């Protein structure tokens, strides 16, 4: 492990290692910013950062409040340092919307604030089984009045429009006036990226008794967002809430007054429905009202029960048990929970780089989804995987326009986007990464191999194969000096420290794969579903010659290899770049992307993230163990892992070539990246792709799981430190549980049809549900 | 010649081919924009576009008024599409300052406007012998009143702060009221580049009788610009001017009323002094007043006489006679005049890409000065060359800071700048062109070889050699895969269509030259001026080891060569790029830089401008004729000449290898580029470097002049179409005239010391002034 990474990891966790929760027992302003990401809630549709309900009394540098809706963005003209033809003209930035979570408590006139008075018995926890965040504490105000406060909140996984807070307060040593002020605050701004940070305006705000509505509009894009709120008050011990309310131009407010009696517990539930409309004529407020009405019937407790039930089902599919390492056990559940929270599941949205937990990366979707997150779903919740792929299908037309921009045929998917248009203002960090097309094709084919979902291929997948293959066919050229091989010049692989190079190996191999798979699947669908194929072929103007040409091009793709070093050169120029060893770079200059001018980074043999090594994973069957080892040995000392996408992949290949210690170390660099904030930037939001990478590193690394040509393979190992680990996957029509300990592996067919797979060189058939096979390792 | 270029050249000239003037006999709105550049006036200190004195009545698209001072700029933060470390933070934009040329004529109340009423006898001309622009015409207003108007204007070459207009009017068929309104209008804006286009404000404006002052301030940079104006009225035939005047917040105005008598000629001279201050405490208005007072004494006629005298001296040094081609004859004089007008001669300014004739390129200085314009001065007016090189010396400290920005030692000159800081917002079109350092070193060495100016080297030049050599020493690396040669990765040569490549041949050869010359000159100065050397060495911390290291590095520089094609590959990847023939690109997609996304341009074997071919010129002695021919044959079909810096260089090398027709064609593409507006963009301003290139193409191309190791060589040829051409150069302490016709070359020592040079293989000595040598060709 790099010293740099060892140092970063050498810090105490802020959270005790508990199997099913993330908790803190002390409120510290210096942890607040980090906690806002860790205690974020979301359901793929919307997300709320882990801010406190009450007004925050810490400094502005320790908070970035945010409530976001996946797919709702502002847009500004991109200003370039210098113009060039065909650059993207407008950006897209996920916008910070009205904060519906505001609740302030007053004892008499003294406002509850954890940084004043006296705080005891504080505990905040994210309950991973229930999918809620609770905060409980005893607060003594400056007059010595004590209250016990319990707050629970959730964003519903079963009702995408619904969020709720249950707020209860109990005077412990006094009777007297207590007020609760609740609001939906539309006076919010973004903190980063946008030049005009205040991009949403409140069109309408109305208090209707203890209910109310607020309508926001994003000026630059026209999105309208409706909020409907209902407060449900619980009478207790004969006390009554009294209601005052007010409206102002940017917010709606309620004040609930109560003559509280010592020892009684009073509570208020705030149910919020949120809905948005992209087009005029849609009525987001009406929809929100309707959703609210349904949710209010079952109240907070009903919503909470639904949430728990949903989580039970989720954990049945995705839970991984790791015995002997409680830190890791916790991390896996935390990560799986955040992946769930981040994932748009409606076929029109995807997973942003920071999920819905922060503004960084502007809420953009990258190749991260297909390459790092999709396998998590393909093998565990394939119906979600399908919807994520559908997002790419629905934006195919925009990808075609993007290809024309670059004078290419077919479709070129954008490097970063929300709405399907390229939103990057720096083509050397975006458009040049043409491999996005192949990554998407690869993900679709993986989905198909694992699920066998022919309908998806026939109706959607093949068309993406076709248009991406067309892109590659027009992007490459036969180059005489390369023995007339089909080459791809001026591209960039996953390693963003080498943009604009020729014949990036990852790109060439993946392009070849894309061309091959398009040809293969075209034939397959033609044979299987002739009518559908014929219609599609007519619509997209596809003929046999074109399919044949892809096969030929795929055969002719130039596959770089260096005979002298016996490795795959990352690109044509990589071996000729200035030599450097990562350990020679001062730690305070890492990550390089934040410290060195790009032209300096580019001249060195220094790699940001797994590139050839990722290729060794994705198309692993094409490379011998020996070649993998040679490449690992060559590239590992040149890799800074300045991207959180990198260590997981190195861990997997280290595992495969028998580098157990490196494999474990790299694995540990990713699992608790956000929880323990190795990069000191988790406050910006969680690293969703890294979380997916951690899953890959366990299942594909230690589990040794691969899918090749529709066959499933395992080659499990287990780190010395652990007692056992256990995971479940879905494959075709079966669900399989794999448990590995120091002595043996057991495969258990949990349900579904019979399954065949390979354990190392051994073919295993499990033909009946509940049948298991134990094998010594 | 490319069809594209042939088509561009196939247009009638707007101006008759006159040897000493550029004139138009008809005023056409559609020519106005172009004429604003052609009829620009300037003296290197300030420049005025060729706008009319009276308010322009044509459409806004046909005019871009402008008055500029060399070195006076506004500054704005550069906004990037995406941020990266160490990018330049602020731009610099030459600012459009107050228009002092405004003069409107009223006959009774009818305002003179060439687009109304009836215009006859119109002629406008740029008089190249006198250095003035005159306009004369007869105008009949809508009431049938006729006036004869004669306007002459100049910007003084002998008094850098002084400009003047002489405006005369003669009623031809009536007596009555005539009014002349004159102004200095500070209500001006820039038209391009700046986001806040109105960047200069008027601090003070005051009419003082028929005189007045105006003070402008550039908000973003603090420059203050003072204008002082005096009107000199000529009484004639007993008529008297009457004066009204007014002031407003942004401008100062005068109105002169006259009861004119038919047939009498009345005239008014407007003398303007302009001065600027960069720092508080300097008093631009006082200086302007003082300069104005001196100029007013001699009046317009005196200024005009001075101008004529200056021009006589100028033409004695720089005039080139071409017999048998009047178009070319005119072009050469026009170009030499504009080079003069554009050149900052005070050691603190240089030559902007568009001179002082337009806002395009923001008034920035580029390598154009050293590579394309400096030879013109070195061989004709070396004292100006010295001042241009001094500009680089005075900005050396900023170049050092720029080197630190890029983590380099020594000094890295900015790619585009006014004040010495890098002003580019796109590093792939600027900083990546490290060769700027070597270009400057090359120019200094050429200056030294031709002038023998040891003082300049001892006091300034050597320090630039040292700091640029240091840059190269830190910029390169020994690369194992290149036989441990010293390589330069991620650079860009002159061909801007291939940025970010490794081992651009031009860059490597020029870096080697820079390292060699630094070592050589360090030794030479040490021997010659030990004390000076010792002081300099101490100040810049230079020791013998470092000098020795430069020699070693220079020896070790990797010099690319392709054995198979027997050419110098432009860079490591060039021969592997996608093949393309320039003729296959649709004409409407040229220039590519305006039509193709950069990533598309970069993938092809397509060249914007001479790169290896420029190397063949600058370091020509290193390459055989055969190699030059092979390279020309290889690169010529790949070159779009999308830069106006390109054809002249191809012309020179074509000449050298005996491609007479191509040489002539390329030559003709540059000589009248602005006059005949081949690129339809001359309205933006003249192409100063192209003008310098035209001179190079004649003297180095047809004249075959070279300087190598302090020796002067000629190898003249003459195009069939011409009868003869004649030019003069200064060399060491001599002035030599070279005349070439179809039969012979004659060399005449005009003055100064004896001179030795080589004609082809023949050594020629001219030992006495007026001695000449005729040789048959």
């Amino acid at each position: 492990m790099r010293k740099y990474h060892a140092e970063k990891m050498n810090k105490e966790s802020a959270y005790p290692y508990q199997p099913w929760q993330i908790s803190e027992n002390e409120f510290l302003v210096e942890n607040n910013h980090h906690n806002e990401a860790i205690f974020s809630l979301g359901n793929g549709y919307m997300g709320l950062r882990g801010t406190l309900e009450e007004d925050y009394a810490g400094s502005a540098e320790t908070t970035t409040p945010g409530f976001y809706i996946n797919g709702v963005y502002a847009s500004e003209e991109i200003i370039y340092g210098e113009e060039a033809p065909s650059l993207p003209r407008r950006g897209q930035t996920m916008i910070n919307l009205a904060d519906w979570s505001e609740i302030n408590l007053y004892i008499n006139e003294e406002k509850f604030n954890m940084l004043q008075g006296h705080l005891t018995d504080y505990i905040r926890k994210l309950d991973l089984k229930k999918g809620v965040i609770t905060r409980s504490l005893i607060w003594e105000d400056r007059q010595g009045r004590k209250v016990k406060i319990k707050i629970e909140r959730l964003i519903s996984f079963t009702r995408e429009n619904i969020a709720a807070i249950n707020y209860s307060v109990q005077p412990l040593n006094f009777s007297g006036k207590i007020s609760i002020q609740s609001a939906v605050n539309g006076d919010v701004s973004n903190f980063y990226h946008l030049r005009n940070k205040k991009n949403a305006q409140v069109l309408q705000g109305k208090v209707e008794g203890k209910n109310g509505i607020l309508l926001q509009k994003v000026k630059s894009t026209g999105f309208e967002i409706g909020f409907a709120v209902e407060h449900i008050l619980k009478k207790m011990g004969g006390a009554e809430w009294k209601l005052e309310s007010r409206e102002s131009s940017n917010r709606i407010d309620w004040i609930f007054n109560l003559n509280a009696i010592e020892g009684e517990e009073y509570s208020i539930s705030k149910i919020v429905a949120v809905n948005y409309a992209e087009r005029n004529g849609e009525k987001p407020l009406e929809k929100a009202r309707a959703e609210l009405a349904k949710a209010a019937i079952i109240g907070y407790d009903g919503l909470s029960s639904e949430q728990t039930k949903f989580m039970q089902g989720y954990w049945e599919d995705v839970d991984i048990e790791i015995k002997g390492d409680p830190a890791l056990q916790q991390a896996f559940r935390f990560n799986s929970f955040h992946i769930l929270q981040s994932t748009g599941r409606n076929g029109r949205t995807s997973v942003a780089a920071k999920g819905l937990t922060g503004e960084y990366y502007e809420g953009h979707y990258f190749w991260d989804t297909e390459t790092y997150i999709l396998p998590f779903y393909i093998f565990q919740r394939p119906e979600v995987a399908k919807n994520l792929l559908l997002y790419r299908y629905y934006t195919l037309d925009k990808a075609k326009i993007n290809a024309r921009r670059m004078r290419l045929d077919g479709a070129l998917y954008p490097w970063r986007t929300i709405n399907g248009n390229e939103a990057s203002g720096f083509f050397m960090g975006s458009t040049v990464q043409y491999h996005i097309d192949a990554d998407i094709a690869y993900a679709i084919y993986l989905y198909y191999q694992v699920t066998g979902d022919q309908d998806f291929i026939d109706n959607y997948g093949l068309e993406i194969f076709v248009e991406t293959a067309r892109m590659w066919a027009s992007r490459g050229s036969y180059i005489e000096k390369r023995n007339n091989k089909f080459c791809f010049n001026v591209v960039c692989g996953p390693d963003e420290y080498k943009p604009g190079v020729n014949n990036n190996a990852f790109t060439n191999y993946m392009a070849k794969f894309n061309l091959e798979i398009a040809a293969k699947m075209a034939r397959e669908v033609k044979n299987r579903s002739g009518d559908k194929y014929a219609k599609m072929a007519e619509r997209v103007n596809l003929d046999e010659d074109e399919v044949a040409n892809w096969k030929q091009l795929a055969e002719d793709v130039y596959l770089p290899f260096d005979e002298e070093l016996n490795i795959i050169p990352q690109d044509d120029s990589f071996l000729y770049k200035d030599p450097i060893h990562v350990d020679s770079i001062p730690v305070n200059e890492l990550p390089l992307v934040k410290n060195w001018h790009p032209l300096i980074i580019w001249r060195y043999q220094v790699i940001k993230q797994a590139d050839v090594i990722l290729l060794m994973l994705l198309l692993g069957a094409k490379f011998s163990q020996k070649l993998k080892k040679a490449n690992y040995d060559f590239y590992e000392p040149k890799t800074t892992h300045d991207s959180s996408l990198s260590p997981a992949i190195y861990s997997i290949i280290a595992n495969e070539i028998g580098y157990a210690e490196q494999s474990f170390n790299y694995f540990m660099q990713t699992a608790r990246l956000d929880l323990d904030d190795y990069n000191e930037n988790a406050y910006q939001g969680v690293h969703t792709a890294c979380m997916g990478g951690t899953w890959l590193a366990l299942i594909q690394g230690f589990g040794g799981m691969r899918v090749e040509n529709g066959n499933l393979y395992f080659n499990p190992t287990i780190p010395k430190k652990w007692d056992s680990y256990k995971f479940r996957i879905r494959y075709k029509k079966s669900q399989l549980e794999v448990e590995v300990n120091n002595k043996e592996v057991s495969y258990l067919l949990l349900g579904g049809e019979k399954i065949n797979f390979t354990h190392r060189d051994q073919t295993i058939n499990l033909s009946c549900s509940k049948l298991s096979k134990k094998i010594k390792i």
Side-chain angles (χ1 to χ4, degrees), chain A:
Chain A
M1 193 173 348
R2 303 270 95 81
K3 198 171 138 223
Y4 166 57
H5 293 112
E7 279 168 9
K8 292 203 299 184
M9 290 170 67
N10 188 20
K11 51 165 97 173
E12 207 185 343
S13 180
Y15 315 104
Y17 299 147
Q18 295 164 300
W20 286 105
Q21 64 185 41
I22 315 298
S23 68
E24 63 167 9
N25 298 309
E26 190 177 8
F27 181 78
L28 296 169
V29 167
E30 59 265 37
N31 290 348
N32 187 67
H33 221 173
H34 179 217
N35 278 331
E36 285 186 356
I38 300 301
F39 291 112
S40 285
L41 285 182
N43 64 358
Y45 179 87
M46 58 185 169
L48 177 71
R49 276 174 68 87
T51 43
L52 307 174
E53 283 76 10
E54 66 273 17
D55 295 345
Y56 182 62
S59 68
E61 300 76 51
T62 59
T63 185
T64 313
F67 172 67
Y68 318 104
I69 299 179
N70 200 352
V72 174
Y73 58 89
S75 175
E76 280 183 344
E77 190 193 351
I78 302 174
I79 297 182
Y80 293 93
E82 191 173 303
E83 277 295 339
S86 304
L87 301 182
R89 297 278 30 119
R90 295 192 72 81
Q92 302 154 39
T93 306
M94 184 171 77
I95 187 164
N96 188 10
L97 296 166
D99 177 13
W100 49 263
S101 71
E102 180 179 325
I103 298 178
N104 280 294
L105 172 71
Y106 295 83
I107 301 177
N108 221 337
E109 302 302 322
E110 190 161 345
K111 189 176 181 179
F112 167 53
N113 165 1
M114 296 197 296
L115 300 179
Q116 274 179 0
H118 188 59
L119 183 68
T120 57
D121 298 73
Y122 172 83
I123 182 162
R124 172 159 60 164
K125 67 179 181 199
L126 167 60
D127 186 322
L128 297 163
K129 278 198 169 161
K130 295 176 72 182
V132 302
I133 284 170
T134 61
R135 176 161 58 120
S136 66
L137 56 93
I138 293 173
W139 185 64
E140 184 177 340
D141 74 2
R142 286 171 298 184
Q143 273 68 46
R145 290 173 295 214
K146 278 192 185 179
V147 285
K148 184 168 183 185
I149 299 172
K150 287 195 292 186
I151 309 165
E152 186 173 309
R153 72 188 189 193
L154 63 83
I155 294 184
S156 173
F157 290 117
T158 49
R159 301 166 187 251
E160 67 176 12
N161 305 102
I162 296 296
I165 300 174
N166 194 58
Y167 198 108
S168 81
V169 54
Q170 180 184 19
L172 297 181
N173 63 354
F174 72 99
S175 294
K177 184 181 176 192
I178 285 177
S179 304
I180 287 180
Q181 171 262 325
S182 169
V184 179
N185 177 14
D187 186 16
V188 291
S189 296
N190 276 44
F191 293 83
Y192 309 109
H193 304 301
L194 288 169
R195 292 189 298 280
N196 172 17
K197 303 227 170 353
K198 198 158 180 60
N199 214 299
Q201 59 188 148
V202 173
L203 292 186
Q204 192 185 349
K206 199 169 165 52
V207 168
E208 299 161 338
K210 57 190 176 36
N211 304 335
I213 52 109
L214 186 133
L215 183 66
Q216 266 188 312
K217 179 163 186 161
V218 185
K219 284 178 281 184
S220 54
T221 46
F223 281 99
E224 288 190 9
I225 305 95
F227 296 80
V229 183
E230 178 159 347
H231 294 91
I232 301 171
L233 315 182
K234 289 206 184 139
K235 301 179 201 174
M236 285 188 183
E240 277 282 351
W241 297 101
K242 285 181 190 163
L243 173 71
E244 292 172 13
S245 74
R246 55 188 175 184
E247 295 159 25
S248 74
S249 60
N250 279 320
R251 42 187 288 143
I252 48 175
D253 269 274
W254 297 260
I255 296 174
F256 302 95
N257 294 315
L258 166 75
N259 285 314
I261 296 159
E262 183 175 328
E264 297 283 350
E265 186 177 355
Y266 304 91
S267 80
I268 185 165
S269 296
K270 183 179 190 178
I271 318 282
V272 182
V274 184
N275 196 276
Y276 76 89
E278 194 165 353
R279 283 167 204 83
N280 274 335
E282 295 176 3
K283 296 185 171 163
L285 269 179
E286 284 186 18
K287 287 191 189 163
R289 277 186 200 274
E291 288 297 327
L292 179 63
K294 285 187 276 178
I297 292 170
I298 62 169
Y300 185 86
D301 292 343
L303 293 170
S304 179
S305 302
E306 279 184 4
Q307 191 85 335
T308 304
K309 206 171 153 201
F310 177 91
M311 289 310 301
Q312 273 173 353
Y314 184 68
W315 292 122
E316 269 169 32
D317 286 338
V318 313
D319 188 37
I320 287 167
E321 275 181 47
I322 300 175
K323 289 191 176 149
D325 192 331
L328 206 54
Q329 176 66 76
Q330 180 186 46
F332 258 88
R333 287 176 179 146
F334 174 78
N335 292 351
S336 294
F337 184 71
H338 264 289
I339 291 174
L340 169 67
Q341 293 203 116
S342 299
T343 304
R345 287 172 289 158
N346 56 9
R348 305 289 168 154
T349 52
S350 184
V351 187
K354 300 285 176 190
L356 302 167
T357 70
E359 293 177 20
Y360 266 73
Y361 293 98
E362 302 179 78
H364 289 171
Y365 317 136
F366 294 78
W367 72 310
D368 305 33
T369 303
E370 282 77 13
T371 309
Y372 288 83
I373 295 170
L374 215 74
F376 175 94
Y377 285 116
I378 288 174
F379 286 102
Q380 300 185 125
R381 294 223 138 178
E383 67 281 10
V384 177
K386 180 180 168 181
N387 278 339
L388 289 171
L389 293 173
L390 276 175
Y391 165 76
R392 294 297 190 181
Y393 182 78
Y394 291 128
T395 56
L396 183 58
D397 281 346
K398 288 181 174 170
K400 287 184 193 173
I401 293 168
N402 195 41
R404 294 315 156 268
R405 176 173 77 87
M406 299 306 293
R407 296 177 169 261
L408 296 169
D409 298 337
L412 175 61
Y413 280 97
W415 183 249
R416 52 189 301 167
T417 189
I418 296 173
N419 68 9
N421 294 327
E422 180 57 77
S424 168
F426 183 54
F427 59 81
M428 287 298 266
S430 57
T431 305
V432 71
Q433 296 201 46
Y434 299 89
H435 67 83
I436 178 80
D437 265 23
D439 306 332
I440 291 169
Y442 182 92
I444 294 171
Y445 188 61
L446 180 65
Y447 169 81
Y448 177 57
Q449 286 181 92
V450 175
T451 63
D453 184 350
Q454 295 180 346
D455 275 357
F456 182 83
I457 297 298
D458 295 358
N459 294 322
Y460 310 107
L462 179 58
E463 198 172 332
I464 296 181
F465 290 140
V466 166
E467 299 296 352
T468 50
R470 284 174 165 173
M471 192 287 289
W472 291 115
S474 65
R475 185 60 188 69
S477 269
Y478 283 94
I479 302 296
E480 210 178 313
K481 276 255 177 191
R482 293 268 174 238
N483 297 319
N484 263 318
K485 286 293 187 181
F486 196 60
C487 294
F488 300 98
N489 286 329
V490 186
V491 301
C492 178
D495 173 22
E496 298 184 336
Y497 286 172
K498 295 293 161 286
V501 296
N502 301 337
N503 293 310
N504 165 263
F506 180 93
T507 303
N508 284 24
Y509 271 96
M510 291 294 283
K512 178 186 171 77
F513 165 84
N514 198 157
L515 290 161
E516 276 169 357
I517 217 65
K520 172 181 148 90
M521 296 307 287
R523 303 257 148 105
E524 188 180 311
V525 174
K526 190 178 177 185
N527 293 336
R528 173 167 71 216
S529 319
D531 286 356
K532 270 188 189 166
Y533 182 83
K535 271 185 202 160
M536 194 274 300
E538 194 185 336
R539 183 157 47 80
V540 304
N541 200 20
L542 179 69
D543 62 25
E544 285 308 289
D545 287 351
E546 190 175 3
V547 175
N549 185 44
W550 296 336
K551 268 191 87 167
Q552 185 62 53
L553 294 176
E555 271 175 37
D556 294 344
V557 165
Y558 172 65
L559 301 176
F561 187 76
D562 188 85
E563 303 281 353
E564 191 187 336
L565 298 172
N566 202 31
I567 57 154
I568 294 178
Q570 186 172 302
D571 59 68
D572 284 355
S573 66
F574 188 85
L575 304 178
Y576 298 87
K577 298 261 160 151
D578 295 18
I580 193 171
H581 193 292
V582 167
D583 289 343
S584 72
I585 302 170
V587 162
N588 62 3
E589 295 180 12
L590 293 169
L592 297 180
V593 67
K594 298 275 179 211
N595 293 286
W596 289 11
H597 189 288
L599 289 175
I600 306 302
I601 301 178
W602 300 352
R603 66 181 259 217
Y604 287 107
Q605 282 189 37
V606 65
I607 301 173
K608 188 182 183 192
Q609 65 204 96
D611 191 294
V612 171
I613 299 304
L614 178 60
L615 174 64
M616 302 281 115
L617 171 62
L618 298 189
L619 299 178
K622 297 196 183 303
F623 311 106
S624 70
Q625 289 287 102
K626 196 178 151 197
L627 185 60
K628 285 176 188 171
K629 189 166 175 307
N631 279 295
Y632 185 98
D633 291 344
F634 182 78
Y635 289 109
E636 199 274 342
K638 302 180 194 309
T639 308
T640 61
H641 306 291
D642 283 348
S643 163
S644 69
L645 306 184
S646 189
I649 307 304
Y650 272 86
S651 174
I652 297 170
I653 300 302
N655 228 314
E656 194 174 340
I657 60 177
Y659 286 9
E661 189 183 335
Q662 288 205 27
S663 172
F664 185 75
N665 287 341
Y666 275 123
F667 181 73
M668 293 308 291
Q669 281 177 40
T670 72
R672 290 182 65 90
L673 178 80
D674 285 315
L675 274 174
D676 294 344
D677 201 12
Y678 297 150
N679 291 348
E680 293 177 356
N681 64 3
Y683 76 89
Q684 297 170 356
V686 300
H687 297 74
T688 54
C690 177
M691 290 168 161
T694 308
W695 184 88
L696 288 175
L698 185 72
I699 311 303
Q700 300 210 271
F702 299 110
M705 185 182 80
R706 299 284 188 282
V707 173
E708 292 288 349
N709 297 321
N711 299 315
L712 183 63
Y713 299 85
F714 293 97
N715 180 17
T717 58
I718 183 168
K720 282 184 207 152
K721 201 186 158 191
W722 305 350
D723 298 327
S724 70
Y725 64 94
K726 185 165 76 176
F727 60 90
R728 294 169 172 191
I729 61 148
R730 292 182 184 276
Y731 189 76
K732 304 277 163 75
K733 293 188 168 139
S734 314
Q735 189 179 24
L736 184 71
E737 183 175 275
V738 181
E739 185 167 6
V740 184
N741 62 32
N742 295 312
K743 293 175 192 148
E744 62 184 14
V745 188
S746 74
Y747 298 96
L748 168 64
L749 181 58
L750 284 176
E753 298 179 358
K754 66 177 179 172
I755 185 170
N756 300 323
F757 57 90
T758 306
H759 169 92
R760 297 195 178 135
D761 297 331
Q762 183 179 349
T763 304
I764 296 174
N765 298 298
L766 296 174
S767 55
C768 298
S769 190
K770 304 302 175 196
L771 205 63
S772 82
K773 172 87 182 175
K774 285 183 198 298
I775 305 169
K776 288 222 159 58
I777 57 170

